[in-house]
Amino acid sequence: EERSPDMITFTSASTVKHLFSSLGKGRVLVWLGKAKCVSIGPMTTLAIKAAGLSNIHEAKQATIDSMLEALKFGFNLKDELK
């Protein structure tokens, strides 16, 4: 039985495109259907939306630290990831 992730991070629009082209759009949409997506910035968010995913949390700045903040927000974690 294949499990779906709770959350996935995307650090560029090209990672979104390559994931979908490597595994196939239908398979990825089923696999990530309910997963929360953390995007590093607006261009990556646009690519995620264009691919068909909608549960997206975007980093305020294009940094890994900002992505961690978006991840904490996505899981409603207050101080657990310090």
Side-chain angles (χ1 to χ4, degrees):
E1 177 180 319
E2 189 173 290
R3 293 187 53 185
S4 296
D6 294 319
M7 184 173 284
I8 187 167
T9 60
F10 290 104
T11 55
S12 70
S14 64
T15 60
V16 177
K17 293 173 188 168
H18 290 299
L19 177 67
F20 277 79
S21 67
S22 296
L23 299 179
K25 184 173 184 170
R27 182 173 180 205
V28 175
L29 289 176
V30 168
W31 184 55
L32 296 178
K34 295 183 180 181
K36 295 174 183 175
C37 300
V38 176
S39 166
I40 199 162
M43 296 303 292
T44 306
T45 297
L46 287 174
I48 295 168
K49 288 179 180 178
L53 297 170
S54 60
N55 192 0
I56 306 165
H57 300 275
E58 184 178 298
K60 291 181 181 178
Q61 298 176 344
T63 65
I64 297 301
D65 286 341
S66 188
M67 283 187 77
L68 286 173
E69 289 301 315
L71 186 143
K72 290 191 314 188
F73 177 79
F75 271 119
N76 200 22
L77 302 172
K78 302 282 187 228
D79 297 316
E80 287 87 340
L81 295 177
K82 283 190 174 181

Coordinates of all heavy atoms in Angstrom, one line a residue:
E1 N 0.8 -1.2 0.0 CA 0.0 0.0 0.0 C 0.9 1.2 0.0 O 1.8 1.4 0.8 CB -0.9 0.0 1.2 CG -1.7 1.2 1.4 CD -2.6 1.1 2.6 OE1 -3.1 0.0 2.9 OE2 -2.7 2.1 3.3
E2 N 0.7 2.1 -0.9 CA 1.4 3.3 -1.1 C 0.8 4.4 -0.2 O -0.4 4.7 -0.3 CB 1.5 3.8 -2.5 CG 2.4 4.9 -2.8 CD 2.6 5.2 -4.2 OE1 3.2 4.4 -5.0 OE2 2.1 6.3 -4.6
R3 N 1.6 5.0 0.7 CA 1.2 6.1 1.5 C 1.4 7.4 0.9 O 2.4 7.6 0.2 CB 1.9 6.0 2.9 CG 1.5 4.8 3.6 CD 2.0 4.7 5.0 NE 1.7 6.0 5.7 CZ 2.1 6.3 6.9 NH1 2.9 5.6 7.5 NH2 1.7 7.5 7.4
S4 N 0.6 8.4 1.2 CA 0.8 9.8 0.7 C 1.4 10.6 1.8 O 1.2 10.4 3.0 CB -0.6 10.4 0.4 OG -1.2 9.7 -0.6
P5 N 2.3 11.5 1.4 CA 2.9 12.4 2.4 C 1.9 13.4 2.9 O 0.9 13.8 2.3 CB 4.0 13.1 1.6 CG 3.5 13.1 0.2 CD 2.7 11.8 0.0
D6 N 2.2 13.9 4.1 CA 1.3 15.0 4.7 C 1.7 16.3 4.1 O 0.8 17.2 4.0 CB 1.6 15.0 6.3 CG 1.1 13.8 7.0 OD1 0.0 13.3 6.6 OD2 1.8 13.3 7.9
M7 N 3.0 16.5 3.8 CA 3.4 17.7 3.3 C 4.6 17.5 2.3 O 5.4 16.5 2.5 CB 3.9 18.7 4.4 CG 4.3 20.1 4.0 SD 4.5 21.2 5.3 CE 2.9 21.5 5.8
I8 N 4.8 18.4 1.3 CA 5.9 18.3 0.4 C 6.4 19.7 0.2 O 5.7 20.7 0.3 CB 5.6 17.6 -0.9 CG1 6.8 17.5 -1.8 CG2 4.5 18.4 -1.6 CD1 6.6 16.5 -3.0
T9 N 7.8 19.9 0.1 CA 8.3 21.2 -0.1 C 8.8 21.3 -1.6 O 9.3 20.3 -2.1 CB 9.5 21.5 0.8 OG1 10.5 20.5 0.7 CG2 9.0 21.5 2.3
F10 N 8.7 22.5 -2.1 CA 9.2 22.7 -3.5 C 10.1 24.0 -3.4 O 9.6 25.0 -3.0 CB 8.0 23.0 -4.5 CG 7.2 21.7 -4.8 CD1 6.0 21.5 -4.2 CD2 7.7 20.8 -5.6 CE1 5.2 20.4 -4.5 CE2 7.0 19.6 -5.9 CZ 5.7 19.5 -5.4
T11 N 11.3 23.8 -3.9 CA 12.2 24.9 -3.8 C 12.4 25.7 -5.1 O 13.2 26.6 -5.2 CB 13.6 24.5 -3.3 OG1 14.1 23.4 -4.2 CG2 13.5 24.0 -1.9
S12 N 11.7 25.2 -6.2 CA 11.8 25.9 -7.4 C 10.6 25.4 -8.3 O 10.1 24.3 -8.1 CB 13.1 25.7 -8.2 OG 13.2 24.4 -8.6
A13 N 10.3 26.2 -9.3 CA 9.2 25.8 -10.3 C 9.7 24.6 -11.0 O 8.9 23.7 -11.4 CB 8.9 27.0 -11.2
S14 N 11.0 24.5 -11.3 CA 11.5 23.3 -12.1 C 11.3 22.0 -11.3 O 11.1 21.0 -11.9 CB 12.9 23.6 -12.5 OG 13.8 23.6 -11.4
T15 N 11.4 22.1 -9.9 CA 11.2 20.8 -9.2 C 9.8 20.4 -9.3 O 9.5 19.2 -9.4 CB 11.6 21.0 -7.7 OG1 10.8 22.0 -7.1 CG2 13.0 21.3 -7.5
V16 N 8.9 21.3 -9.4 CA 7.4 20.9 -9.6 C 7.3 20.3 -11.0 O 6.7 19.2 -11.1 CB 6.5 22.2 -9.5 CG1 5.1 21.8 -9.8 CG2 6.7 22.8 -8.2
K17 N 7.8 20.9 -12.0 CA 7.7 20.4 -13.4 C 8.4 19.1 -13.5 O 7.8 18.2 -14.1 CB 8.3 21.4 -14.3 CG 7.5 22.7 -14.4 CD 8.2 23.8 -15.2 CE 7.5 25.1 -15.1 NZ 8.2 26.2 -15.7
H18 N 9.5 18.9 -12.9 CA 10.3 17.6 -13.0 C 9.6 16.5 -12.3 O 9.5 15.3 -12.8 CB 11.7 17.8 -12.6 CG 12.5 18.6 -13.5 ND1 12.8 18.2 -14.9 CD2 13.2 19.7 -13.4 CE1 13.5 19.1 -15.4 NE2 13.8 20.1 -14.5
L19 N 9.0 16.8 -11.1 CA 8.3 15.7 -10.4 C 7.1 15.2 -11.2 O 6.9 14.0 -11.4 CB 7.8 16.3 -9.1 CG 6.9 15.3 -8.2 CD1 7.7 14.1 -7.8 CD2 6.3 16.0 -7.1
F20 N 6.3 16.2 -11.8 CA 5.2 15.8 -12.6 C 5.5 15.1 -13.9 O 4.9 14.1 -14.3 CB 4.3 17.0 -12.8 CG 3.3 17.3 -11.7 CD1 3.8 18.0 -10.6 CD2 2.0 16.9 -11.7 CE1 2.9 18.3 -9.5 CE2 1.2 17.2 -10.7 CZ 1.6 17.9 -9.6
S21 N 6.6 15.5 -14.5 CA 7.0 14.9 -15.8 C 7.6 13.5 -15.5 O 7.5 12.6 -16.3 CB 8.0 15.8 -16.6 OG 9.2 15.9 -15.9
S22 N 8.3 13.3 -14.4 CA 8.9 12.1 -14.1 C 7.9 11.0 -13.7 O 8.0 9.8 -14.1 CB 9.9 12.2 -12.9 OG 11.0 13.0 -13.3
L23 N 6.9 11.4 -12.9 CA 6.0 10.4 -12.4 C 4.6 10.4 -13.1 O 3.9 9.4 -12.9 CB 5.8 10.6 -10.9 CG 7.0 10.5 -10.0 CD1 6.6 10.8 -8.5 CD2 7.6 9.1 -10.1
G24 N 4.4 11.4 -13.8 CA 3.1 11.5 -14.5 C 2.1 12.3 -13.7 O 2.0 12.1 -12.4
K25 N 1.4 13.2 -14.3 CA 0.5 14.1 -13.6 C -0.6 13.4 -12.8 O -0.8 13.7 -11.6 CB -0.2 15.1 -14.6 CG -1.1 16.1 -13.9 CD -1.6 17.2 -14.9 CE -2.4 18.2 -14.1 NZ -2.7 19.4 -14.9
G26 N -1.2 12.4 -13.4 CA -2.3 11.7 -12.7 C -1.8 11.0 -11.4 O -2.4 11.1 -10.4
R27 N -0.6 10.4 -11.5 CA -0.1 9.7 -10.3 C 0.3 10.7 -9.2 O 0.0 10.4 -8.1 CB 1.1 8.9 -10.8 CG 1.7 8.1 -9.6 CD 2.8 7.2 -10.0 NE 3.3 6.4 -8.9 CZ 4.5 5.9 -8.8 NH1 5.3 6.0 -9.9 NH2 4.9 5.3 -7.8
V28 N 0.9 11.8 -9.6 CA 1.3 12.8 -8.6 C 0.1 13.4 -8.0 O 0.0 13.6 -6.8 CB 2.2 13.9 -9.3 CG1 2.5 14.9 -8.2 CG2 3.5 13.2 -9.8
L29 N -1.0 13.7 -8.8 CA -2.2 14.3 -8.2 C -2.8 13.4 -7.2 O -3.3 13.8 -6.2 CB -3.1 14.8 -9.3 CG -2.7 16.0 -10.1 CD1 -3.7 16.3 -11.2 CD2 -2.5 17.2 -9.2
V30 N -2.9 12.1 -7.5 CA -3.4 11.1 -6.5 C -2.5 11.0 -5.3 O -3.0 11.0 -4.2 CB -3.6 9.7 -7.2 CG1 -3.9 8.7 -6.2 CG2 -4.7 9.8 -8.3
W31 N -1.2 10.9 -5.5 CA -0.3 10.8 -4.4 C -0.3 12.0 -3.5 O -0.2 11.9 -2.3 CB 1.1 10.5 -5.0 CG 2.2 10.2 -4.1 CD1 2.2 9.2 -3.1 CD2 3.4 10.9 -4.0 NE1 3.4 9.3 -2.4 CE2 4.2 10.3 -2.9 CE3 4.0 11.9 -4.7 CZ2 5.4 10.7 -2.5 CZ3 5.3 12.3 -4.3 CH2 6.0 11.7 -3.2
L32 N -0.3 13.2 -4.1 CA -0.3 14.4 -3.3 C -1.6 15.1 -3.1 O -1.7 16.2 -2.7 CB 0.7 15.4 -4.0 CG 2.2 15.0 -4.1 CD1 2.9 16.1 -4.8 CD2 2.7 14.8 -2.7
G33 N -2.7 14.4 -3.5 CA -4.0 15.1 -3.5 C -4.4 15.8 -2.2 O -4.9 16.9 -2.3
K34 N -4.1 15.3 -1.0 CA -4.4 16.0 0.2 C -3.2 16.6 0.9 O -3.3 17.2 2.0 CB -5.1 15.0 1.1 CG -6.5 14.6 0.5 CD -7.2 13.7 1.5 CE -8.5 13.3 0.9 NZ -9.3 12.4 1.7
A35 N -2.0 16.4 0.3 CA -0.8 16.9 1.0 C -0.8 18.5 1.0 O -1.3 19.1 0.0 CB 0.4 16.4 0.3
K36 N -0.2 19.0 2.0 CA 0.1 20.5 2.0 C 1.4 20.7 1.3 O 2.4 19.9 1.4 CB 0.2 20.9 3.5 CG -1.1 20.8 4.2 CD -0.9 21.1 5.7 CE -2.2 20.9 6.4 NZ -2.1 21.1 7.8
C37 N 1.4 21.7 0.5 CA 2.6 22.1 -0.3 C 3.2 23.3 0.3 O 2.5 24.3 0.6 CB 2.3 22.3 -1.8 SG 1.6 20.9 -2.6
V38 N 4.6 23.3 0.5 CA 5.3 24.5 1.0 C 6.1 24.9 -0.2 O 6.9 24.2 -0.8 CB 6.2 24.2 2.2 CG1 7.0 25.4 2.6 CG2 5.3 23.8 3.4
S39 N 5.9 26.2 -0.6 CA 6.6 26.8 -1.7 C 7.6 27.8 -1.3 O 7.3 28.6 -0.4 CB 5.5 27.5 -2.6 OG 6.1 28.3 -3.6
I40 N 8.7 27.9 -2.0 CA 9.7 28.9 -1.6 C 9.4 30.3 -2.1 O 9.9 31.3 -1.5 CB 11.1 28.4 -2.1 CG1 12.2 29.2 -1.3 CG2 11.3 28.6 -3.6 CD1 13.6 28.6 -1.3
G41 N 8.5 30.4 -3.0 CA 8.2 31.8 -3.5 C 7.1 31.8 -4.6 O 6.6 30.7 -4.9
P42 N 6.8 33.0 -5.1 CA 5.6 33.1 -5.9 C 5.7 32.4 -7.3 O 4.7 31.8 -7.7 CB 5.5 34.6 -6.2 CG 6.7 35.3 -5.5 CD 7.4 34.2 -4.7
M43 N 6.9 32.3 -7.9 CA 7.0 31.5 -9.1 C 6.8 30.0 -8.9 O 6.1 29.4 -9.7 CB 8.3 31.8 -9.8 CG 8.6 33.2 -10.2 SD 7.3 33.9 -11.3 CE 7.6 32.9 -12.8
T44 N 7.3 29.5 -7.8 CA 7.1 28.1 -7.5 C 5.6 27.9 -7.2 O 5.0 26.9 -7.6 CB 8.0 27.7 -6.3 OG1 9.3 28.1 -6.6 CG2 7.9 26.3 -6.0
T45 N 5.0 28.8 -6.5 CA 3.5 28.7 -6.2 C 2.7 28.6 -7.4 O 1.8 27.8 -7.6 CB 3.1 29.8 -5.3 OG1 3.8 29.8 -4.0 CG2 1.6 29.8 -5.0
L46 N 3.0 29.5 -8.4 CA 2.3 29.5 -9.7 C 2.5 28.1 -10.4 O 1.5 27.6 -10.9 CB 2.8 30.6 -10.6 CG 2.4 32.0 -10.2 CD1 3.1 33.0 -11.1 CD2 0.9 32.1 -10.3
A47 N 3.7 27.5 -10.3 CA 3.9 26.2 -10.9 C 3.1 25.1 -10.2 O 2.6 24.2 -10.9 CB 5.4 25.9 -10.9
I48 N 3.0 25.2 -8.9 CA 2.2 24.2 -8.1 C 0.8 24.3 -8.5 O 0.1 23.3 -8.8 CB 2.4 24.4 -6.6 CG1 3.9 24.2 -6.2 CG2 1.5 23.6 -5.8 CD1 4.3 24.6 -4.8
K49 N 0.3 25.5 -8.6 CA -1.1 25.8 -9.0 C -1.4 25.3 -10.4 O -2.4 24.6 -10.6 CB -1.5 27.2 -8.8 CG -1.7 27.7 -7.4 CD -2.0 29.2 -7.4 CE -2.1 29.7 -5.9 NZ -2.4 31.1 -5.9
A50 N -0.5 25.6 -11.3 CA -0.6 25.2 -12.7 C -0.6 23.6 -12.8 O -1.3 23.1 -13.7 CB 0.5 25.8 -13.6
A51 N 0.1 23.0 -11.9 CA 0.1 21.5 -11.9 C -1.2 20.9 -11.4 O -1.4 19.7 -11.6 CB 1.3 21.0 -11.1
G52 N -2.0 21.7 -10.7 CA -3.2 21.2 -10.2 C -3.4 21.0 -8.7 O -4.4 20.4 -8.2
L53 N -2.4 21.4 -8.0 CA -2.4 21.3 -6.5 C -2.9 22.7 -5.9 O -2.6 23.7 -6.5 CB -1.1 20.9 -5.9 CG -0.6 19.5 -6.4 CD1 0.9 19.4 -6.0 CD2 -1.4 18.4 -5.8
S54 N -3.6 22.6 -4.8 CA -4.1 23.9 -4.3 C -3.8 24.2 -2.8 O -4.0 25.3 -2.4 CB -5.6 23.9 -4.5 OG -6.2 22.8 -3.8
N55 N -3.4 23.2 -2.0 CA -3.2 23.4 -0.6 C -1.8 23.9 -0.4 O -0.9 23.1 -0.1 CB -3.5 22.1 0.2 CG -3.5 22.3 1.7 OD1 -3.4 23.4 2.2 ND2 -3.8 21.3 2.4
I56 N -1.5 25.2 -0.6 CA -0.2 25.7 -0.7 C 0.1 26.7 0.4 O -0.7 27.6 0.6 CB 0.1 26.4 -2.1 CG1 -0.3 25.4 -3.2 CG2 1.5 26.9 -2.2 CD1 -0.4 26.1 -4.6
H57 N 1.3 26.6 1.0 CA 1.7 27.6 2.0 C 3.0 28.2 1.4 O 4.0 27.4 1.2 CB 2.0 27.0 3.4 CG 0.7 26.4 3.9 ND1 -0.2 27.1 4.7 CD2 0.2 25.1 3.9 CE1 -1.2 26.3 5.0 NE2 -0.9 25.1 4.5
E58 N 3.1 29.5 1.2 CA 4.2 30.1 0.5 C 5.1 30.8 1.5 O 4.6 31.5 2.4 CB 3.7 31.1 -0.5 CG 4.8 31.7 -1.3 CD 4.3 32.7 -2.4 OE1 3.5 32.2 -3.3 OE2 4.6 33.9 -2.2
A59 N 6.4 30.6 1.4 CA 7.4 31.3 2.3 C 7.3 32.8 2.0 O 7.1 33.2 0.9 CB 8.8 30.8 2.0
K60 N 7.4 33.6 3.0 CA 7.4 35.0 2.9 C 8.6 35.6 2.2 O 8.6 36.6 1.5 CB 7.2 35.7 4.2 CG 5.9 35.5 4.9 CD 5.7 36.1 6.2 CE 4.4 35.8 6.8 NZ 4.2 36.4 8.1
Q61 N 9.7 34.9 2.3 CA 11.0 35.2 1.7 C 11.5 33.9 1.0 O 11.3 32.8 1.5 CB 12.0 35.8 2.6 CG 11.6 37.0 3.3 CD 12.6 37.5 4.3 OE1 13.5 36.7 4.8 NE2 12.5 38.8 4.7
A62 N 12.3 34.1 0.0 CA 12.8 32.9 -0.7 C 14.1 32.3 0.0 O 15.2 32.3 -0.5 CB 13.2 33.2 -2.2
T63 N 13.8 31.8 1.2 CA 14.9 31.2 2.0 C 14.4 30.0 2.7 O 13.2 29.8 2.9 CB 15.4 32.2 3.1 OG1 14.4 32.4 4.1 CG2 15.9 33.5 2.6
I64 N 15.3 29.1 3.0 CA 15.0 27.9 3.7 C 14.3 28.2 5.1 O 13.4 27.6 5.5 CB 16.2 26.9 3.9 CG1 16.7 26.5 2.5 CG2 15.8 25.7 4.7 CD1 15.7 25.8 1.6
D65 N 14.9 29.2 5.8 CA 14.3 29.6 7.1 C 12.9 30.0 7.0 O 12.0 29.7 7.8 CB 15.1 30.7 7.8 CG 16.5 30.2 8.3 OD1 16.6 29.0 8.5 OD2 17.4 31.0 8.5
S66 N 12.6 30.8 5.9 CA 11.2 31.2 5.7 C 10.3 30.1 5.3 O 9.2 30.0 5.7 CB 11.2 32.3 4.6 OG 9.9 32.9 4.5
M67 N 10.9 29.1 4.6 CA 10.1 27.9 4.3 C 9.8 27.1 5.5 O 8.7 26.6 5.6 CB 10.9 27.0 3.3 CG 10.9 27.4 1.9 SD 11.6 26.2 0.7 CE 10.3 25.0 0.6
L68 N 10.7 27.1 6.5 CA 10.4 26.4 7.8 C 9.3 27.1 8.5 O 8.4 26.4 9.1 CB 11.7 26.3 8.6 CG 12.7 25.3 8.2 CD1 14.0 25.5 9.1 CD2 12.2 23.9 8.3
E69 N 9.2 28.4 8.4 CA 8.1 29.1 9.0 C 6.8 28.8 8.4 O 5.8 28.6 9.0 CB 8.4 30.6 9.0 CG 9.5 31.1 9.9 CD 9.2 30.8 11.4 OE1 8.1 31.0 11.8 OE2 10.1 30.3 12.0
A70 N 6.8 28.7 7.0 CA 5.6 28.3 6.3 C 5.2 26.9 6.6 O 4.0 26.6 6.7 CB 5.8 28.5 4.8
L71 N 6.2 26.0 6.8 CA 5.9 24.6 7.2 C 5.2 24.6 8.6 O 4.3 23.9 8.8 CB 7.2 23.8 7.2 CG 7.1 22.3 7.4 CD1 8.1 21.6 6.6 CD2 7.3 22.0 8.9
K72 N 5.8 25.3 9.5 CA 5.2 25.4 10.8 C 3.8 25.9 10.8 O 2.9 25.4 11.4 CB 6.0 26.3 11.8 CG 7.3 25.7 12.1 CD 8.1 26.4 13.3 CE 8.2 27.9 13.2 NZ 9.0 28.5 14.2
F73 N 3.5 26.9 9.9 CA 2.2 27.4 9.8 C 1.2 26.4 9.2 O 0.1 26.2 9.6 CB 2.2 28.7 8.9 CG 0.8 29.2 8.6 CD1 0.2 30.0 9.6 CD2 0.2 29.0 7.4 CE1 -1.1 30.5 9.3 CE2 -1.1 29.5 7.1 CZ -1.7 30.2 8.1
G74 N 1.8 25.7 8.2 CA 1.0 24.6 7.5 C 0.5 23.5 8.4 O -0.6 23.0 8.3
F75 N 1.4 23.2 9.4 CA 1.0 22.1 10.3 C 0.5 22.7 11.6 O 0.3 21.9 12.6 CB 2.2 21.2 10.6 CG 2.4 20.1 9.7 CD1 3.5 20.0 8.9 CD2 1.4 19.1 9.5 CE1 3.6 18.9 8.0 CE2 1.5 18.1 8.7 CZ 2.6 17.9 7.9
N76 N 0.4 24.0 11.7 CA -0.1 24.7 12.9 C 0.8 24.3 14.1 O 0.3 24.1 15.2 CB -1.6 24.3 13.2 CG -2.2 25.3 14.1 OD1 -1.8 26.4 14.2 ND2 -3.3 24.9 14.8
L77 N 2.1 24.4 13.8 CA 3.1 24.1 14.9 C 3.6 25.5 15.3 O 4.1 26.2 14.5 CB 4.3 23.3 14.3 CG 4.0 22.0 13.8 CD1 5.2 21.4 13.1 CD2 3.5 21.0 14.8
K78 N 3.4 25.8 16.6 CA 3.9 27.1 17.0 C 5.4 27.2 17.3 O 6.1 27.8 16.5 CB 3.1 27.5 18.4 CG 1.6 27.4 18.2 CD 1.1 28.7 17.5 CE -0.4 28.6 17.6 NZ -1.1 28.9 16.5
D79 N 5.9 26.5 18.3 CA 7.3 26.6 18.6 C 8.0 25.3 18.5 O 9.2 25.2 18.9 CB 7.5 27.2 20.0 CG 6.9 28.6 20.1 OD1 7.2 29.4 19.2 OD2 6.2 28.9 21.1
E80 N 7.4 24.3 18.0 CA 7.9 23.0 18.0 C 9.2 22.8 17.1 O 10.0 21.9 17.3 CB 6.9 21.9 17.6 CG 5.8 21.6 18.6 CD 4.7 22.6 18.6 OE1 4.8 23.7 18.0 OE2 3.6 22.3 19.1
L81 N 9.4 23.6 16.1 CA 10.5 23.5 15.1 C 11.6 24.5 15.3 O 12.2 24.9 14.3 CB 10.0 23.5 13.7 CG 9.0 22.3 13.3 CD1 8.6 22.5 11.9 CD2 9.7 21.0 13.4
K82 N 11.8 24.9 16.5 CA 12.8 26.0 16.7 C 14.2 25.3 16.6 O 14.4 24.2 16.8 CB 12.7 26.6 18.1 CG 11.6 27.6 18.1 CD 11.6 28.3 19.4 CE 10.5 29.4 19.3 NZ 10.4 30.2 20.4

